[in-house]
Amino acid sequence: MGCPKEFSIKGGMGAALLKQPDKVYNILSTLVRGVSCSVTCKMRVLPELEDTIALAKLIESTGVAALTVHGRTKEERPQHQNRTHVIQAVAAALSIPVIANGGSGEISCYSDIEKFRRATNASSVAIARQAEWNCSIFRPEGKLPLDEIILAYLKYAIDYDNNVINTKYCIQQMLGSLQETLRGKAFLNAQQVHEICELWGMKEYLQTKQKEFEDRAEKLRKLHARGNDDTLTLKRRKIGEDEVWELEARFIRNMFDLSDLPKSLLLDWTRRNGCDLPRYITEQTEKSFKAVVSVNGKKYSSTHLEKNKKNAEQAAALVAVFHLGLVDENKIKGRPIGISLAADQVKITGDSAAPLDTVVCSCQHRNSDSEKNQKAFCLKSDHANSSDNICQSFTESNELYINKKATFVSKENTGKWKYGTFDPKLTKNDTSHLTEIQARALENSGETVKTYTECNHNLQR
């Protein structure tokens, strides 16, 4: 009952419960009766001291093991003074441990934690913001330099393949006003974990760990293979009363046309064979989704968690159509989630940086008369051989990989691949609308220098 954010209040959660004592009692007493571990609770103070103590006593009567009290009201924010005297009064009124919270503005070193505890007469202290700014606040010998903390945190983020968005957010909390420095501004512009690591001299460590992850992933893939080849096999798993056939299948949108999406293929198959239509059940775990599809008396699911419900259903359908022989393993195999591109490989999407001096043009292509113009990014050789040309629609999921061997691999909407080679030391024509993606030129390509000019041909789907 501490979160005062609008989404919590509108959803009847967090601090919204402060005005619903009956619901608070029912929730906490049900939890205390229903679980074997200790249950604790957190609350914000109410405008009136008497109301705060009354609510705290009601919470105590549910049987909770401890109560954390944040010394601000639902409407107050960090810039408002923490109501230390209210926490002190609550601690005096209850027999269970009271944990003081909201004192980050008064705490700047380890010894301040004990001062805050004594001022509130609480049994202990809960700290959030100060710990986010510098977690060595808990170090009796004193806080460590911020750079040392960031380096240690980055190592953990790399070791556990932490999401780059979360990694960046946590470092932002540590930097605070230092985000206005040159390095701070470069950090704010960083979009990939390797860009963040480079700012703190961790690039080499990142590359080493990524290689370890890739080797480990390859070993795990082989464990799922049949015999010594790379054949994909489904595993049958008991979930409750049901048997579910599972396979690690990541749904990659740009590997399918609208006409051959896994759900569409599965629906067509059931209609042709006179079966009941597929039924999907999707579960959400935090921000990830997993679906199970029931078709023809069997249930199928992907072990890969997707970012939304729609993709989770497509992934489950993909496992089913693979088992039914409607797609081959090329539609399933892909770079596993959680393993970053190798340091010598890059994904070009729009204006993102690449490790090549590559010219990319922004053209307008009309996919069909019924579709609006869509921006496309093209690479086109000035050689007469048309097989050297690539023209690819740029959408959120389309990707172009260029690796250290100077080989490009273009994924088209048809599901087929185009291969070709070029020298990374490309020259640039004197055309103002071309955008050059700046970065280092790759070494030892051994290819002939080619000039890439604007694309003048229409995109074919």
Side-chain angles (χ1 to χ4, degrees), residues 161-180:
D161 195 25
N162 192 42
N163 181 283
V164 65
I165 296 174
N166 179 258
T167 298
K168 185 174 180 179
Y169 172 82
C170 291
I171 295 177
Q172 276 186 276
Q173 303 308 303
M174 300 181 206
L175 287 177
S177 61
L178 293 177
Q179 294 176 72
E180 297 302 317

Side-chain angles (χ1 to χ4, degrees), residues 33-324:
R33 290 194 306 268
V35 300
S36 57
C37 61
S38 298
V39 176
T40 63
C41 180
K42 178 183 176 182
M43 62 174 283
R44 282 190 168 233
V45 301
L46 295 165
E48 300 299 328
L49 176 60
E50 295 77 10
D51 295 336
T52 303
I53 293 176
L55 180 60
K57 285 184 174 180
L58 178 141
I59 292 171
E60 181 183 36
S61 70
T62 65
V64 297
L67 175 63
T68 300
V69 180
H70 184 119
R72 294 182 181 86
T73 65
K74 175 170 66 71
E75 292 76 23
E76 291 174 337
R77 293 298 180 266
Q79 65 269 24
H80 296 101
Q81 186 68 31
N82 195 44
R83 304 187 185 204
T84 303
H85 68 285
V86 178
I87 302 176
Q88 187 181 55
V90 172
L94 303 187
S95 59
I96 60 173
V98 171
I99 304 166
N101 181 232
S104 284
E106 306 163 43
I107 297 171
S108 59
C109 62
Y110 179 79
S111 61
D112 289 341
I113 300 174
E114 177 59 19
K115 290 179 183 177
F116 180 62
R117 189 198 69 78
R118 288 200 302 266
T120 57
N121 200 30
S123 63
S124 55
V125 174
I127 299 175
R129 286 178 296 135
Q130 275 289 351
E132 284 187 326
W133 299 335
N134 189 326
C135 58
S136 64
I137 187 74
F138 300 109
R139 190 170 178 266
E141 300 83 1
K143 289 195 291 187
L144 295 170
L146 190 57
D147 266 0
E148 192 172 331
I149 296 296
I150 292 175
L151 285 170
Y153 171 74
L154 270 177
K155 186 176 183 299
Y156 278 118
I158 294 168
D159 289 348
Y160 293 94
D161 195 25
N162 192 42
N163 181 283
V164 65
I165 296 174
N166 179 258
T167 298
K168 185 174 180 179
Y169 172 82
C170 291
I171 295 177
Q172 276 186 276
Q173 303 308 303
M174 300 181 206
L175 287 177
S177 61
L178 293 177
Q179 294 176 72
E180 297 302 317
T181 64
L182 286 176
R183 183 164 65 170
K185 290 178 179 178
F187 166 76
L188 292 176
N189 289 328
Q191 298 297 320
Q192 303 294 331
V193 67
H194 70 85
E195 296 174 304
I196 298 173
C197 289
E198 193 165 3
L199 292 170
W200 275 274
M202 295 282 285
K203 186 176 180 180
E204 189 173 328
Y205 183 77
L206 172 68
Q207 293 172 355
T208 301
K209 294 302 293 187
Q210 285 179 337
K211 182 63 168 61
E212 288 180 15
F213 290 152
E214 289 167 0
D215 292 344
R216 192 182 307 168
E218 182 61 28
K219 290 178 182 178
L220 289 172
R221 282 195 292 271
K222 287 181 179 179
L223 287 175
H224 288 281
R226 182 184 297 161
N228 295 321
D229 59 22
D230 291 329
T231 304
L232 294 173
T233 56
L234 275 72
K235 304 293 182 182
R236 186 171 57 182
R237 188 161 72 95
K238 192 82 170 177
I239 302 178
E241 299 297 320
D242 300 321
E243 285 188 345
V244 180
W245 292 87
E246 291 185 326
L247 179 69
E248 183 178 359
R250 179 185 178 194
F251 175 64
I252 303 174
R253 176 62 184 87
N254 67 343
M255 292 182 71
F256 301 91
D257 283 329
L258 288 175
S259 59
D260 68 354
L261 287 169
K263 289 183 69 174
S264 301
L265 292 176
L266 189 58
L267 182 63
D268 290 342
W269 184 88
T270 56
R271 287 171 173 169
R272 290 197 310 270
N273 290 275
C275 303
D276 290 338
L277 299 182
R279 291 183 294 107
Y280 296 87
I281 298 176
T282 306
E283 293 183 353
Q284 181 177 357
T285 304
E286 293 182 352
K287 294 184 178 180
S288 300
F289 295 80
K290 179 183 176 72
V292 176
V293 59
S294 301
V295 59
N296 198 28
K298 287 188 176 182
K299 296 186 176 184
Y300 302 91
S301 181
S302 170
T303 58
H304 174 80
L305 297 179
E306 295 285 353
K307 63 182 180 180
N308 56 49
K309 180 176 181 288
K310 180 172 64 175
N311 283 10
E313 292 182 352
Q314 291 287 5
L318 180 55
V319 176
V321 295
F322 172 71
H323 186 249
L324 295 170

Side-chain angles (χ1 to χ4, degrees), residues 328-341:
D328 59 30
E329 63 184 29
N330 290 327
K331 293 287 189 179
I332 292 178
K333 285 186 175 180
R335 186 171 61 83
I337 188 127
I339 298 178
S340 303
L341 289 169

